Amino acid sequence: MHGILGLAAAIRAGIKNAQVGESQARRGRIQNGRVHIGERSYPFRAAVDCNTSEGSMVWVQISKGGTAVIVGA
């Protein structure tokens, strides 16, 4: 992703591909190379330049394909 335009594209894609009730950003923690939200874990991609090291708390949107797109930290 590239800057603000990349972030906007990622958010648009996340909203467009979101299932009902999943169009809002969720808070998760990065553990073992995945984002954990409650009892579930997802592979992730970063839409913004933020800290994605082990234990970091991030805001994500879940895509229809099941990938967490990090939209903030």
Coordinates of all heavy atoms in Angstrom, one line a residue:
M1 N 0.8 -1.2 0.0 CA 0.0 0.0 0.0 C 0.9 1.2 0.0 O 2.0 1.2 0.5 CB -0.9 0.0 1.2 CG -1.8 -1.2 1.4 SD -3.1 -1.2 0.1 CE -3.4 -2.9 0.0
H2 N 0.3 2.3 -0.6 CA 1.1 3.5 -0.7 C 0.4 4.7 -0.1 O -0.6 5.2 -0.7 CB 1.5 3.8 -2.1 CG 2.3 2.7 -2.7 ND1 3.6 2.4 -2.4 CD2 2.0 1.8 -3.7 CE1 4.0 1.4 -3.1 NE2 3.0 1.0 -3.9
G3 N 0.8 5.2 1.1 CA 0.3 6.4 1.7 C -1.2 6.4 1.9 O -1.8 5.4 2.1
I4 N -1.7 7.6 1.9 CA -3.2 7.9 2.1 C -4.0 7.2 1.1 O -5.1 6.6 1.4 CB -3.5 9.4 2.2 CG1 -2.7 10.1 3.3 CG2 -4.9 9.6 2.3 CD1 -3.1 9.6 4.7
L5 N -3.6 7.2 -0.2 CA -4.4 6.6 -1.2 C -4.5 5.1 -1.0 O -5.5 4.4 -1.2 CB -3.8 6.9 -2.6 CG -3.9 8.4 -3.0 CD1 -3.3 8.6 -4.4 CD2 -5.3 8.8 -3.0
G6 N -3.4 4.5 -0.6 CA -3.4 3.0 -0.3 C -4.3 2.7 0.9 O -5.0 1.7 0.9
L7 N -4.2 3.5 1.9 CA -5.1 3.3 3.1 C -6.6 3.4 2.7 O -7.4 2.6 3.0 CB -4.8 4.4 4.2 CG -5.7 4.4 5.4 CD1 -5.7 3.0 6.1 CD2 -5.3 5.4 6.3
A8 N -6.9 4.5 1.9 CA -8.3 4.6 1.4 C -8.7 3.4 0.6 O -9.9 3.0 0.8 CB -8.4 5.9 0.6
A9 N -7.9 2.9 -0.3 CA -8.2 1.8 -1.1 C -8.4 0.5 -0.2 O -9.4 -0.2 -0.4 CB -7.1 1.5 -2.1
A10 N -7.6 0.3 0.8 CA -7.7 -0.8 1.7 C -9.0 -0.7 2.5 O -9.7 -1.7 2.7 CB -6.5 -0.9 2.6
I11 N -9.4 0.5 3.0 CA -10.6 0.6 3.7 C -11.8 0.4 2.8 O -12.8 -0.3 3.2 CB -10.7 2.0 4.4 CG1 -9.6 2.1 5.5 CG2 -12.1 2.3 5.0 CD1 -9.4 3.4 6.1
R12 N -11.8 0.9 1.6 CA -12.9 0.7 0.7 C -13.0 -0.8 0.4 O -14.2 -1.3 0.4 CB -12.6 1.4 -0.7 CG -13.3 2.8 -0.8 CD -13.3 3.3 -2.2 NE -12.0 3.3 -2.8 CZ -11.0 4.2 -2.7 NH1 -11.2 5.3 -1.9 NH2 -9.9 4.1 -3.3
A13 N -11.9 -1.5 0.1 CA -12.0 -2.9 -0.1 C -12.5 -3.7 1.1 O -13.3 -4.6 0.9 CB -10.6 -3.4 -0.5
G14 N -12.1 -3.3 2.3 CA -12.6 -3.9 3.5 C -14.1 -3.7 3.7 O -14.8 -4.7 4.1
I15 N -14.5 -2.5 3.4 CA -16.0 -2.3 3.6 C -16.8 -3.0 2.5 O -17.8 -3.6 2.8 CB -16.3 -0.8 3.6 CG1 -15.7 -0.1 4.8 CG2 -17.7 -0.5 3.4 CD1 -15.7 1.4 4.8
K16 N -16.3 -3.0 1.3 CA -17.0 -3.6 0.2 C -17.1 -5.1 0.4 O -18.1 -5.8 0.1 CB -16.3 -3.3 -1.1 CG -17.0 -3.9 -2.4 CD -16.4 -3.4 -3.6 CE -15.4 -4.4 -4.1 NZ -14.8 -4.1 -5.4
N17 N -16.0 -5.7 0.9 CA -15.9 -7.2 1.0 C -16.4 -7.7 2.4 O -16.4 -8.9 2.6 CB -14.5 -7.7 0.8 CG -14.1 -7.4 -0.6 OD1 -14.9 -7.5 -1.6 ND2 -12.8 -7.2 -0.8
A18 N -16.7 -6.8 3.3 CA -17.1 -7.2 4.6 C -18.5 -7.9 4.7 O -19.4 -7.5 3.9 CB -17.1 -6.0 5.6
Q19 N -18.6 -8.8 5.5 CA -19.9 -9.4 5.7 C -20.7 -8.6 6.7 O -20.2 -7.7 7.4 CB -19.7 -10.8 6.4 CG -18.9 -11.8 5.4 CD -18.6 -13.1 6.1 OE1 -19.0 -13.3 7.2 NE2 -17.9 -13.9 5.4
V20 N -22.0 -8.8 6.7 CA -22.9 -8.0 7.6 C -22.4 -8.1 9.0 O -22.1 -9.1 9.5 CB -24.3 -8.4 7.5 CG1 -25.2 -7.7 8.5 CG2 -24.8 -8.3 6.1
G21 N -22.2 -6.9 9.7 CA -21.8 -6.9 11.1 C -20.3 -6.9 11.2 O -19.8 -6.8 12.3
E22 N -19.5 -7.0 10.1 CA -18.1 -7.0 10.2 C -17.4 -5.8 9.5 O -16.3 -5.8 9.2 CB -17.5 -8.3 9.6 CG -17.8 -9.5 10.4 CD -17.1 -10.7 9.9 OE1 -16.2 -10.6 9.1 OE2 -17.4 -11.8 10.4
S23 N -18.2 -4.8 9.2 CA -17.7 -3.6 8.5 C -17.0 -2.6 9.4 O -16.4 -1.7 8.9 CB -18.8 -2.9 7.7 OG -19.8 -2.4 8.6
Q24 N -16.9 -2.9 10.6 CA -16.3 -2.0 11.6 C -14.9 -2.5 11.9 O -14.7 -3.7 11.9 CB -17.1 -1.8 12.8 CG -18.4 -1.1 12.6 CD -19.2 -0.9 13.8 OE1 -18.8 -1.5 14.9 NE2 -20.3 -0.2 13.7
A25 N -14.0 -1.6 12.2 CA -12.6 -2.1 12.6 C -12.7 -2.7 14.0 O -13.5 -2.4 14.8 CB -11.7 -0.9 12.7
R26 N -11.9 -3.7 14.2 CA -11.8 -4.5 15.4 C -10.4 -4.4 16.0 O -9.4 -4.2 15.3 CB -12.1 -6.0 15.2 CG -13.5 -6.2 14.7 CD -13.6 -7.7 14.4 NE -15.0 -8.0 13.9 CZ -15.4 -9.2 13.9 NH1 -14.7 -10.2 14.2 NH2 -16.6 -9.4 13.4
R27 N -10.3 -4.5 17.3 CA -9.0 -4.5 18.0 C -8.5 -5.9 18.1 O -9.2 -6.8 18.5 CB -9.2 -3.8 19.3 CG -7.9 -3.5 20.0 CD -7.4 -2.2 19.5 NE -6.4 -1.6 20.4 CZ -5.4 -0.9 20.1 NH1 -5.3 -0.6 18.8 NH2 -4.6 -0.4 20.9
G28 N -7.2 -6.1 17.8 CA -6.6 -7.4 17.9 C -5.1 -7.2 18.3 O -4.6 -6.1 18.4
R29 N -4.5 -8.4 18.7 CA -3.1 -8.4 19.1 C -2.3 -9.3 18.2 O -2.8 -10.4 17.8 CB -3.0 -8.9 20.5 CG -1.6 -9.0 21.0 CD -1.5 -9.6 22.4 NE -2.3 -8.8 23.4 CZ -1.8 -7.8 24.1 NH1 -0.6 -7.4 23.9 NH2 -2.6 -7.2 24.9
I30 N -1.2 -8.9 17.8 CA -0.3 -9.8 16.9 C 0.4 -10.8 17.8 O 1.1 -10.4 18.7 CB 0.7 -8.9 16.1 CG1 -0.1 -8.0 15.2 CG2 1.6 -9.8 15.3 CD1 0.7 -7.0 14.4
Q31 N 0.2 -12.1 17.4 CA 0.9 -13.2 18.1 C 1.2 -14.2 17.1 O 0.3 -14.6 16.3 CB 0.0 -13.8 19.2 CG -0.2 -12.8 20.4 CD -1.2 -13.5 21.4 OE1 -2.1 -14.2 21.0 NE2 -0.9 -13.2 22.7
N32 N 2.4 -14.7 17.1 CA 2.9 -15.8 16.2 C 2.6 -15.5 14.8 O 2.2 -16.4 14.0 CB 2.2 -17.1 16.6 CG 2.5 -17.5 18.0 OD1 3.6 -17.4 18.5 ND2 1.5 -18.0 18.7
G33 N 2.8 -14.2 14.4 CA 2.6 -13.9 13.0 C 1.2 -13.8 12.5 O 1.0 -13.7 11.3
R34 N 0.2 -13.7 13.4 CA -1.2 -13.6 13.0 C -1.8 -12.6 14.0 O -1.3 -12.3 15.1 CB -1.9 -15.0 13.2 CG -1.3 -16.0 12.2 CD -1.9 -17.4 12.4 NE -3.3 -17.5 12.1 CZ -3.8 -17.8 10.9 NH1 -3.0 -18.0 9.9 NH2 -5.1 -17.9 10.7
V35 N -3.0 -12.1 13.6 CA -3.7 -11.2 14.4 C -4.8 -12.0 15.1 O -5.6 -12.7 14.5 CB -4.4 -10.1 13.6 CG1 -5.4 -9.2 14.5 CG2 -3.4 -9.2 12.9
H36 N -4.8 -11.9 16.5 CA -5.7 -12.6 17.3 C -6.8 -11.7 17.8 O -6.5 -10.6 18.4 CB -5.0 -13.3 18.5 CG -4.1 -14.4 18.1 ND1 -4.5 -15.7 18.2 CD2 -2.9 -14.4 17.5 CE1 -3.5 -16.5 17.7 NE2 -2.5 -15.7 17.3
I37 N -8.1 -12.0 17.5 CA -9.2 -11.3 18.0 C -10.1 -12.3 18.8 O -10.7 -13.1 18.1 CB -10.0 -10.6 16.9 CG1 -9.1 -9.7 16.1 CG2 -11.2 -9.9 17.4 CD1 -9.7 -9.2 14.8
G38 N -10.1 -12.1 20.0 CA -10.9 -13.1 20.8 C -10.2 -14.5 20.7 O -9.0 -14.6 20.8
E39 N -11.0 -15.5 20.3 CA -10.5 -16.9 20.1 C -10.1 -17.1 18.7 O -9.6 -18.2 18.4 CB -11.6 -17.9 20.6 CG -12.0 -17.8 22.0 CD -10.8 -18.2 22.9 OE1 -10.1 -19.2 22.6 OE2 -10.6 -17.5 23.9
R40 N -10.3 -16.2 17.8 CA -9.9 -16.4 16.4 C -8.6 -15.7 16.0 O -8.2 -14.8 16.7 CB -11.0 -15.9 15.5 CG -12.4 -16.6 15.8 CD -13.4 -16.4 14.8 NE -13.0 -17.1 13.6 CZ -13.6 -17.1 12.5 NH1 -14.7 -16.4 12.3 NH2 -13.2 -17.8 11.4
S41 N -8.0 -16.3 15.0 CA -6.7 -15.6 14.5 C -6.8 -15.6 13.0 O -7.4 -16.4 12.3 CB -5.5 -16.4 15.0 OG -5.4 -17.6 14.3
Y42 N -6.1 -14.5 12.4 CA -6.2 -14.3 11.0 C -4.8 -13.9 10.5 O -4.0 -13.2 11.2 CB -7.1 -13.1 10.7 CG -8.5 -13.2 11.3 CD1 -8.8 -12.7 12.6 CD2 -9.5 -13.7 10.5 CE1 -10.1 -12.8 13.1 CE2 -10.8 -13.8 11.0 CZ -11.1 -13.4 12.3 OH -12.3 -13.5 12.8
P43 N -4.5 -14.3 9.3 CA -3.3 -13.8 8.7 C -3.5 -12.3 8.4 O -4.7 -11.9 8.4 CB -3.2 -14.6 7.3 CG -4.6 -15.0 7.0 CD -5.2 -15.2 8.4
F44 N -2.5 -11.5 8.3 CA -2.7 -10.1 8.1 C -1.8 -9.4 7.1 O -0.8 -10.0 6.7 CB -2.5 -9.3 9.5 CG -1.1 -9.3 10.0 CD1 -0.2 -8.3 9.6 CD2 -0.6 -10.3 10.8 CE1 1.1 -8.2 10.0 CE2 0.7 -10.2 11.3 CZ 1.5 -9.2 10.9
R45 N -2.3 -8.3 6.6 CA -1.6 -7.4 5.7 C -1.7 -6.0 6.3 O -2.7 -5.6 6.9 CB -2.2 -7.4 4.3 CG -2.0 -8.7 3.6 CD -2.6 -8.6 2.2 NE -2.2 -7.4 1.5 CZ -2.5 -7.1 0.3 NH1 -3.2 -7.9 -0.4 NH2 -2.1 -6.0 -0.2
A46 N -0.6 -5.2 6.2 CA -0.7 -3.8 6.8 C -1.0 -2.8 5.7 O -0.4 -2.8 4.6 CB 0.7 -3.5 7.4
A47 N -2.0 -2.0 5.9 CA -2.4 -1.0 5.0 C -1.7 0.3 5.3 O -1.7 1.3 4.5 CB -3.9 -0.8 5.0
V48 N -1.2 0.4 6.5 CA -0.5 1.6 7.0 C 0.8 1.2 7.6 O 1.0 0.0 8.0 CB -1.3 2.4 8.1 CG1 -2.6 2.9 7.5 CG2 -1.6 1.5 9.2
D49 N 1.8 2.1 7.7 CA 3.1 1.9 8.2 C 2.9 2.0 9.8 O 2.8 3.1 10.3 CB 4.1 2.8 7.7 CG 5.5 2.5 8.2 OD1 5.8 1.4 8.5 OD2 6.3 3.5 8.2
C50 N 2.9 0.8 10.4 CA 2.8 0.9 11.9 C 3.5 -0.3 12.5 O 4.0 -1.2 11.7 CB 1.3 0.8 12.3 SG 0.4 -0.6 11.8
N51 N 3.6 -0.4 13.8 CA 4.4 -1.4 14.4 C 3.6 -2.7 14.4 O 2.5 -2.8 14.9 CB 4.6 -1.0 15.9 CG 5.5 -2.0 16.6 OD1 6.0 -3.0 16.1 ND2 5.6 -1.8 17.9
T52 N 4.2 -3.7 13.7 CA 3.5 -5.0 13.6 C 4.4 -6.1 14.3 O 4.3 -7.3 13.9 CB 3.2 -5.4 12.2 OG1 4.5 -5.4 11.4 CG2 2.3 -4.5 11.5
S53 N 5.1 -5.7 15.3 CA 5.9 -6.7 16.1 C 5.1 -7.5 17.0 O 3.9 -7.1 17.3 CB 7.1 -5.9 16.8 OG 6.5 -5.1 17.8
E54 N 5.7 -8.6 17.5 CA 5.0 -9.5 18.4 C 4.4 -8.7 19.6 O 5.1 -7.9 20.2 CB 6.0 -10.5 18.9 CG 5.4 -11.7 19.7 CD 4.6 -12.7 18.8 OE1 4.7 -12.6 17.6 OE2 3.9 -13.5 19.3
G55 N 3.1 -9.0 19.9 CA 2.4 -8.3 21.0 C 1.8 -7.0 20.8 O 1.1 -6.5 21.6
S56 N 2.0 -6.4 19.6 CA 1.4 -5.1 19.2 C -0.1 -5.2 19.2 O -0.7 -6.2 18.6 CB 2.0 -4.6 17.9 OG 3.3 -4.4 18.0
M57 N -0.8 -4.2 19.6 CA -2.2 -4.0 19.5 C -2.5 -3.2 18.2 O -1.8 -2.2 18.0 CB -2.8 -3.3 20.7 CG -2.7 -4.1 22.0 SD -3.6 -5.6 22.1 CE -5.2 -5.1 22.1
V58 N -3.4 -3.7 17.4 CA -3.7 -3.1 16.1 C -5.2 -3.0 15.9 O -6.0 -3.8 16.5 CB -3.0 -3.8 15.0 CG1 -1.5 -3.7 15.0 CG2 -3.4 -5.3 14.9
W59 N -5.6 -2.1 15.0 CA -7.0 -2.1 14.6 C -7.0 -2.7 13.2 O -6.2 -2.4 12.3 CB -7.5 -0.6 14.5 CG -7.8 0.0 15.8 CD1 -6.9 0.8 16.5 CD2 -8.9 -0.2 16.6 NE1 -7.5 1.2 17.7 CE2 -8.7 0.6 17.8 CE3 -10.1 -0.9 16.5 CZ2 -9.7 0.6 18.8 CZ3 -11.0 -0.9 17.5 CH2 -10.8 -0.1 18.6
V60 N -8.0 -3.6 13.0 CA -8.1 -4.3 11.7 C -9.5 -4.4 11.1 O -10.4 -4.2 11.9 CB -7.5 -5.8 11.8 CG1 -6.1 -5.8 12.3 CG2 -8.4 -6.6 12.7
Q61 N -9.6 -4.6 9.8 CA -10.8 -4.9 9.2 C -10.6 -6.3 8.6 O -9.6 -6.5 8.0 CB -11.2 -3.9 8.1 CG -11.7 -2.6 8.7 CD -12.3 -1.7 7.7 OE1 -11.7 -1.6 6.6 NE2 -13.3 -1.0 8.0
I62 N -11.6 -7.1 8.7 CA -11.5 -8.5 8.2 C -12.1 -8.5 6.8 O -13.3 -8.1 6.6 CB -12.3 -9.5 9.1 CG1 -11.8 -9.4 10.6 CG2 -12.1 -10.9 8.6 CD1 -10.4 -9.6 10.8
S63 N -11.3 -9.0 5.8 CA -11.8 -9.1 4.4 C -12.6 -10.3 4.3 O -12.6 -11.2 5.1 CB -10.6 -9.1 3.5 OG -9.9 -10.3 3.6
K64 N -13.4 -10.4 3.2 CA -14.2 -11.5 2.9 C -13.4 -12.8 2.8 O -13.9 -13.9 3.2 CB -15.0 -11.3 1.5 CG -16.0 -12.3 1.2 CD -16.8 -11.9 0.0 CE -17.9 -12.9 -0.3 NZ -18.7 -12.5 -1.4
G65 N -12.2 -12.7 2.3 CA -11.3 -13.8 2.2 C -10.7 -14.3 3.5 O -10.0 -15.3 3.6
G66 N -11.0 -13.5 4.6 CA -10.5 -14.0 5.9 C -9.1 -13.4 6.3 O -8.5 -13.9 7.3
T67 N -8.7 -12.4 5.6 CA -7.4 -11.7 5.9 C -7.7 -10.5 6.7 O -8.6 -9.7 6.4 CB -6.6 -11.3 4.7 OG1 -6.3 -12.5 3.9 CG2 -5.3 -10.6 5.0
A68 N -6.9 -10.2 7.8 CA -7.0 -9.0 8.6 C -6.2 -7.9 7.9 O -5.0 -8.1 7.7 CB -6.6 -9.3 10.0
V69 N -6.8 -6.8 7.6 CA -6.1 -5.7 7.0 C -5.9 -4.7 8.1 O -6.9 -4.1 8.7 CB -6.9 -5.0 5.9 CG1 -6.2 -3.8 5.3 CG2 -7.2 -6.1 4.8
I70 N -4.7 -4.4 8.5 CA -4.3 -3.5 9.6 C -4.6 -2.1 9.1 O -4.0 -1.6 8.1 CB -2.9 -3.7 10.1 CG1 -2.7 -5.1 10.7 CG2 -2.5 -2.6 11.1 CD1 -1.3 -5.4 11.1
V71 N -5.4 -1.3 9.8 CA -5.7 0.0 9.4 C -5.3 1.0 10.5 O -5.5 2.2 10.3 CB -7.2 0.2 9.1 CG1 -7.6 -0.6 7.9 CG2 -8.1 -0.1 10.3
G72 N -4.7 0.6 11.5 CA -4.2 1.5 12.6 C -3.6 0.7 13.7 O -3.7 -0.5 13.8
A73 N -2.9 1.4 14.6 CA -2.2 0.8 15.7 C -2.5 1.6 17.0 O -3.0 2.6 16.9 CB -0.7 0.7 15.5

